[in-house]
Amino acid sequence: KSRDQFNVLLATLRFLVLGDGDGAGVIIGLYNNDEELGSPITFVFFSLAVIAFCICLLNLFIAVHSEAYDKAQETAHISFLQER
């Protein structure tokens, strides 16, 4: 049982972090021996996890750019006057 949970966790990380297609097949095939179809509830939870992961990555991307923009805004007027 714990070995199966480890395999699922490993497959999820491989899919989300590395973009490995085999990881998605393992996750979709949970609770059903047919890897292509899987269980509907597995597909729903998997889809929600992928969406949540994408939102988290987008949030990090926005935060990094916002921080860089704020730093540039602090020195914008001084830089403008120096370049003039």
Side-chain angles (χ1 to χ4, degrees):
K1 175 101 177 155
S2 68
R3 183 73 179 153
D4 290 337
Q5 291 173 347
F6 176 74
N7 286 337
V8 169
L9 179 64
L10 186 63
T12 303
L13 290 174
R14 282 179 57 196
F15 176 72
L16 292 176
V17 176
L18 301 176
D20 183 20
D22 293 336
V26 171
I27 296 168
I28 295 295
L30 289 176
Y31 304 116
N32 194 351
N33 290 332
D34 188 7
E35 281 193 10
E36 292 185 17
L37 297 177
S39 171
I41 193 73
T42 304
F43 182 74
V44 168
F45 281 127
F46 180 69
S47 299
L48 290 174
V50 169
I51 290 169
F53 184 77
C54 290
I55 289 172
C56 287
L57 281 181
L58 183 61
N59 190 21
L60 286 172
F61 180 76
I62 291 170
V64 167
H65 282 275
S66 177
E67 183 72 25
Y69 180 79
D70 288 342
K71 285 183 181 178
Q73 267 315 94
E74 291 174 359
T75 61
H77 185 67
I78 296 169
S79 297
F80 173 73
L81 293 176
Q82 286 177 347
E83 294 294 324
R84 224 175 103 186

